[in-house]
Amino acid sequence: MNTMQLDLRIQAKKLIQHLWMTWEKGFDLLSRLSSKHVFQFGICKLMVKKYKGPNIPCSDGSWINNGEWIGELHINNDHIKHMLQSEQPDRVALQTARLGRKALQDISNALDSYPELAHITGLTGITMLHRGIVYGAGFELHPLQQGWFKKVTTIYLRLLMKVMHPSGSARVNNYEHKLYPMLLVFSKPALYKKYPPQGKIK
């Protein structure tokens, strides 16, 4: 591949990323409409909404039940994109893991400080990076139920990885058998145990 072809590929990648992030911003606005409250904790956005799905048994004996209030976690992909522009993917993964743990500590601190968060029973999120970035963070991993939601989520997250990761399609094609979405779960008691509150947020 000559220099001109490489430059064209880089420019095309940037354009695709820009279009993807524009679409994500629109989707984010729609998601906010279905949330009662939205907070930003570092690299993580926390959407307070009612959980819709099968009841989830947690390893500490507690449950997250259909209809209860939860905090739904979302990573700031725009922040990830900017980090990938100046850092190697492995380093970005380590930084993202560190920032994610910092966000979880901030959320633990906030649960008793923000009345909007006092009634949530736990945190949930969906990711394909359960083998790397979230390892050691303390989440329980639960498989998604078979059905249209799992299929759509798998397609979406694989497309996201193709768009965001420098090696794009090659990485997804090489590791496709390992790239499947999992539900991340943190019951409120487990969050407090893993990240003991360090004082109320003022």
Side-chain angles (χ1 to χ4, degrees), residues 8 34 36 61 91 93 95 120 142 157 182:
L8 287 174
S34 65
K36 188 174 183 180
R91 182 170 176 79
Q95 291 177 345
I120 70 172
H142 293 258
L157 291 178
M182 294 285 283

Side-chain angles (χ1 to χ4, degrees), residues 132-149:
I133 288 178
V134 301
Y135 178 77
F139 288 102
E140 292 184 32
L141 298 177
H142 293 258
L144 294 181
Q145 284 194 328
Q146 295 292 338
W148 69 267
F149 179 75

